[in-house]
């Protein structure tokens, strides 16, 4: 079974530019999550999709971040315009169900550096 | 809001010794506590979890303990090996469907051969 994949693995952009991150969940997983880890800190929840709908976007930092999951398959996370504090590793995870014990499988992450 | 604290932030042990990582959580409604391991350059992977209706769970060299009254839970690794070197994240989650996972800041474990 293929795992969660993310693209790109690394991205270096300048402040003010736009970046789009992509996540392909495990096939058949309706639940897709975005997380971010800023250096040395916790893996912080950003949002949760159930199929194509946003179930919880309470962790999105501000309106410069836009997540989509058209068709309920892959998801994109766009940062526009990027700021220095957006640097970090962005993880995507997916799960079959959404109850507490449904394992979330993580992707390898995208390391974003904003200069 | 809810948060999970984790200590220590870094831990070095000699191969063969034990390692203990401790976490506390703030949300008393949390009832599921997974632990993830992230090796260098790899993705976080679930290694063990515990539900609030048990106090301890073991899987070979790793064990987790939970004290719901004190809102503490811990990861214990015995007979550590170099391949145990990684960042370990504890986390807490409510039973409610769709509730988010709250992670701790991670512990970087180094096992010295």
């Amino acid at each position: 079974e293929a795992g969660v994949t993310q693209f790109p693995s690394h991205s270096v952009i300048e402040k003010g530019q736009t970046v789009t991150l992509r996540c392909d969940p495990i096939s058949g997983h309706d639940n897709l999550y975005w997380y971010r880890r800023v250096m040395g800190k916790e893996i912080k929840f950003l949002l949760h999709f159930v199929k194509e709908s946003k179930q919880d976007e309470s962790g999105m930092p501000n309106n410069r971040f836009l997540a989509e999951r058209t068709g309920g398959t892959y998801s994109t996370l766009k940062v526009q315009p990027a700021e220095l504090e957006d640097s970090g590793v962005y993880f995507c995870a997916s799960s079959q169900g959404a109850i507490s014990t449904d394992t979330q499988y993580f992707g390898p992450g995208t390391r974003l550096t904003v200069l | 809001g809810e948060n999970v604290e984790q200590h220590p932030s870094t831990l070095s042990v000699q191969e063969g010794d034990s390692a203990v990582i401790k976490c506390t959580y703030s949300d008393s409604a949390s009832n599921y506590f997974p632990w993830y391991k992230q090796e260098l350059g790899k993705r976080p992977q679930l290694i063990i979890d515990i539900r609030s209706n048990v106090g301890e769970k073991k899987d070979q060299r790793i064990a987790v303990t939970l004290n719901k009254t004190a809102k503490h839970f811990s990861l214990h690794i015995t007979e550590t090996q170099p391949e145990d070197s990684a960042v370990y994240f504890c986390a807490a989650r409510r039973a409610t469907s769709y509730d988010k996972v709250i992670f701790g800041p991670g512990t970087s474990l180094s096992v010295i051969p």
Side-chain angles (χ1 to χ4, degrees):
Chain A
E1 171 184 273
V4 177
T5 58
Q6 292 186 244
F7 182 83
S9 55
H10 293 82
S11 181
V12 180
I13 61 172
E14 294 191 349
K15 176 182 170 180
Q17 290 187 319
T18 297
V19 63
T20 300
L21 314 181
R22 174 172 169 142
C23 168
D24 286 79
I26 292 171
S27 178
H29 281 192
D30 287 340
N31 295 273
L32 186 150
Y33 308 82
W34 283 100
Y35 293 91
R36 176 173 71 178
R37 187 181 190 219
V38 174
M39 189 186 300
K41 298 200 172 180
E42 76 273 23
I43 298 174
K44 195 167 182 182
F45 169 84
L46 296 179
L47 91 161
H48 170 201
F49 282 102
V50 179
K51 298 185 180 178
E52 68 275 8
S53 300
K54 291 175 186 174
Q55 176 65 37
D56 181 355
E57 54 184 326
S58 62
M60 294 288 263
N62 50 60
N63 59 11
R64 296 185 294 102
F65 288 75
L66 174 65
E68 294 181 320
R69 194 184 180 195
T70 308
T73 53
Y74 72 91
S75 175
T76 58
L77 179 65
K78 183 194 286 190
V79 185
Q80 178 183 31
E83 299 288 344
L84 298 178
E85 64 264 26
D86 300 333
S87 296
V89 180
Y90 289 77
F91 290 105
C92 174
S94 73
S95 66
Q96 194 157 37
I99 64 172
S100 61
T101 53
D102 277 299
T103 300
Q104 292 188 18
Y105 296 88
F106 277 75
T110 293
R111 181 175 295 277
L112 174 64
T113 302
V114 183
L115 302 176
Chain B
E2 307 97 337
N3 77 298
V4 173
E5 296 184 357
Q6 184 171 349
H7 299 280
S9 56
T10 59
L11 179 60
S12 288
V13 299
Q14 289 291 137
E15 181 176 359
D17 287 351
S18 295
V20 180
I21 301 170
K22 298 183 178 182
C23 293
T24 61
Y25 59 98
S26 61
D27 183 2
S28 56
S30 298
N31 77 337
Y32 175 66
F33 306 91
W35 285 85
Y36 281 81
K37 174 185 180 183
Q38 185 182 17
E39 296 177 61
L40 189 64
K42 297 191 176 180
R43 67 193 68 205
Q45 289 194 304
L46 180 72
I47 55 169
I48 195 167
D49 55 19
I50 190 167
R51 303 183 197 189
S52 61
N53 58 346
V54 298
E56 183 174 359
K57 182 177 179 180
K58 291 182 81 170
D59 183 3
Q60 298 182 338
R61 295 186 298 106
I62 60 173
V64 288
T65 57
L66 171 65
N67 181 332
K68 276 220 79 176
T69 304
K71 293 191 278 188
H72 289 173
F73 59 115
S74 300
L75 177 72
H76 304 253
I77 306 174
T78 58
E79 300 171 31
T80 54
Q81 300 168 5
E83 54 264 37
D84 295 329
S85 296
V87 179
Y88 291 80
F89 295 95
C90 61
R93 190 178 188 187
R94 291 181 178 185
T96 315
S97 289
Y98 304 129
D99 214 22
K100 55 181 171 276
V101 179
I102 308 296
F103 284 90
T107 294
S108 178
L109 172 64
S110 298
V111 179
I112 304 162

